[in-house]
Amino acid sequence: MFTSDGCEMTDQAKQNRRNFVTSMMGGSLAAAAAAGLPAAEAQAESLPPEGLSADDAMAHYWNKPLSELVDIGPYNATPAEMERHRVYANLVLALLHGYFNGNKDGETGEYPWQPSQRIAGTGTQSLYAGGRYLGHNICCIAVDGDGDIIDFDFNHNSIFNSSVEHAEARLIKRIFSLADIHQDWDSALGTDDRWNLSPAGEKAPMRGQMDDDYGKSLSSVTIYTSLESCAQCSGIMTLANIKQVVFLQPDPSQYMIGKIMYRLSRKAGETGGPGAPRPISAAEVGIAASQRLADDYKSFQAKVGTGPGKIPFHKPAGSDADPAQWSGSASITSFLCSDLALASYASGREALDAMALAHPDFRPEGQGMLSNAEVLGQVRHFLNYALTEGRRGTPHR
Ligand SMILES: [Zn+2]
């Protein structure tokens, strides 16, 4: 630490200063000035909570700018590992495409941002494909330490009339309950392939062979989700010790809470071990739809609205002459109903169908790891299962 004139402070001076600043906290800045400390300096200097060691991230970042806290650095992986991520990320896009529903404000009326979804009628007397809206077009999958897909889930806020039925939170709770009853999606195949949840190499026990520890930590598990996670889901993933979370679209409204938690939940400078999962943008692993979703959302936000020159999100049936009834919602969940989002989801489905692997034989080190070719095979099989039997994840709460 340096004083304002550039001299390094002695330990005793530091302690005196800390004691002084502590005494100023909650006191008046005039008192600081009277004591000879510039008010601005007294304001800028603040102490982290007691009981933290110096290498605790909370202490380390306490007086640093927010930009430093949220900068978790680039994601480093080999081309083969990146390819593996892309297979799973494309599965999420394909699931969204398969279960797409843009009827956020009902099946009727007019949605000017989603002409491709109109199945009958014209203007505000239109009917849109998809049926009843169960929740937002947000989906995630969980992959175990071997590369096996555990399950998928969607946002179901609408069906439960709740704002917290998010895909990631639902899926984590689903995994714990699945581990409890051992009811995995591929049991119909006759395989005895128990999930590698935590740590690498240890399988979740079969039913009747459970111990007390297996289900409490999912530190081998990766979540692939379509939208950057909120505080609730980041919290649940942290409590579950999820290893990493790959997200397809940034959500500027969620204040980078996942990155903040990743930083603060471990010692300064540490990148592994227990703590919040590392957020990884799908753009960093080469998913082109990721940047496109971000760009299209910005464009949507700039143009959607009910005022002059704006394009409404929804006009209820028969409301043509009454703009007061129109919705100009610019929320990200409204964007996720648009043809723009649907086109990006379709690109994932197309990429998955056409995917030719550059690293088919790559498998991460460790027993039981699937190769990239085996991952792609399983992903295609899972997509077929999920779209025919998965019921958008609704069988489970
Ligand atoms: Zn969430």
Side-chain angles (χ1 to χ4, degrees):
M1 183 185 286
F2 290 83
T3 59
S4 54
D5 60 0
C7 298
E8 188 161 10
M9 296 173 75
T10 64
D11 287 344
Q12 186 57 49
K14 280 186 213 170
Q15 190 55 49
N16 290 344
R17 183 188 175 86
R18 281 174 169 253
N19 291 343
F20 175 77
V21 173
T22 305
S23 72
M24 284 300 108
M25 291 171 74
S28 74
L29 293 174
L37 189 68
E41 204 173 336
Q43 270 184 314
E45 191 89 10
S46 150
L47 294 177
E50 288 184 13
L52 299 177
S53 59
D55 63 345
D56 193 294
M58 180 71 88
H60 177 80
Y61 287 104
W62 193 255
N63 281 304
K64 294 185 187 298
L66 180 61
S67 56
E68 202 171 313
L69 178 64
V70 300
D71 179 8
I72 63 172
Y75 175 64
N76 295 312
T78 66
E81 290 167 332
M82 300 277 198
E83 179 177 78
R84 196 175 179 89
H85 282 310
R86 287 197 296 277
V87 178
Y88 296 116
N90 279 323
L91 170 61
V92 174
L93 290 169
L95 286 166
L96 284 158
H97 176 256
Y99 278 112
F100 192 83
N101 185 325
N103 300 332
K104 189 181 172 193
D105 289 349
E107 297 168 59
T108 59
E110 182 179 6
Y111 289 100
W113 288 89
Q114 44 213 72
S116 82
Q117 300 162 51
R118 189 197 325 252
I119 52 175
T122 56
T124 64
Q125 300 302 324
S126 300
L127 179 69
Y128 286 81
R132 185 182 167 194
Y133 192 75
L134 303 179
H136 304 309
N137 292 306
I138 302 168
C139 173
C140 68
I141 62 168
V143 175
D144 80 359
D146 293 345
D148 282 310
I149 299 159
I150 302 172
D151 212 340
F152 79 110
D153 219 322
F154 269 80
N155 175 294
H156 281 152
N157 280 6
S158 296
I159 196 172
F160 289 117
N161 193 25
S162 155
S163 60
V164 300
E165 292 289 339
H166 295 187
E168 305 96 301
R170 291 172 52 75
L171 184 55
I172 301 299
K173 288 185 272 189
R174 169 79 169 154
I175 295 170
F176 283 131
S177 65
L178 280 174
D180 214 26
I181 60 175
H182 190 70
Q183 182 196 329
D184 57 272
W185 69 273
D186 63 351
S187 57
L189 301 178
T191 58
D192 175 20
D193 193 15
R194 291 168 291 155
W195 296 311
N196 175 353
L197 301 178
S198 166
E202 281 183 24
K203 294 284 191 174
M206 297 288 284
R207 186 175 190 175
Q209 300 172 346
M210 298 178 289
D211 59 31
D212 289 337
D213 299 324
Y214 76 92
K216 293 176 185 168
S217 175
L218 307 179
S219 56
S220 298
V221 174
T222 298
I223 299 289
Y224 293 82
T225 187
S226 58
L227 192 62
E228 188 173 10
S229 300
C230 74
Q232 174 202 217
C233 296
S234 296
I236 287 177
M237 288 191 290
T238 301
L239 292 173
N241 277 303
I242 293 292
K243 178 183 174 189
Q244 55 195 359
V245 53
V246 179
F247 62 94
L248 282 149
Q249 182 180 352
D251 185 349
S253 71
Q254 296 305 316
Y255 36 88
M256 297 189 176
I257 188 66
K259 291 179 178 175
I260 292 171
M261 290 179 68
Y262 172 74
R263 278 291 201 203
L264 294 183
S265 63
R266 38 180 62 77
K267 298 291 183 193
E270 279 186 5
T271 55
R278 189 198 201 285
I280 301 167
S281 164
E284 290 186 281
V285 302
I287 292 286
S290 186
Q291 188 61 51
R292 195 167 86 190
L293 282 163
D295 293 342
D296 284 348
Y297 177 43
K298 270 188 232 162
S299 167
F300 173 83
Q301 280 183 301
K303 295 175 189 166
V304 74
T306 55
K310 299 283 186 177
I311 304 168
F313 170 68
H314 181 243
K315 299 179 185 177
S319 71
D320 300 73
D322 185 6
Q325 291 186 47
W326 300 350
S327 164
S329 170
S331 72
I332 202 160
T333 53
S334 294
F335 166 74
L336 297 180
C337 293
S338 70
D339 279 358
L340 293 168
L342 181 57
S344 280
Y345 300 161
S347 77
R349 174 67 201 245
E350 289 156 15
L352 202 55
D353 288 344
M355 206 159 185
L357 298 173
H359 309 276
D361 299 326
F362 168 77
R363 57 182 89 227
E365 279 185 36
Q367 275 197 326
M369 298 288 183
L370 300 182
S371 69
N372 282 8
E374 288 166 340
V375 165
L376 179 57
Q378 185 176 126
V379 159
R380 286 172 171 157
H381 188 83
F382 184 85
L383 179 63
N384 183 49
Y385 151 78
L387 294 182
T388 55
E389 307 288 340
R391 299 174 65 196
R392 204 184 189 264
T394 49
H396 34 270
R397 178 153 191 166

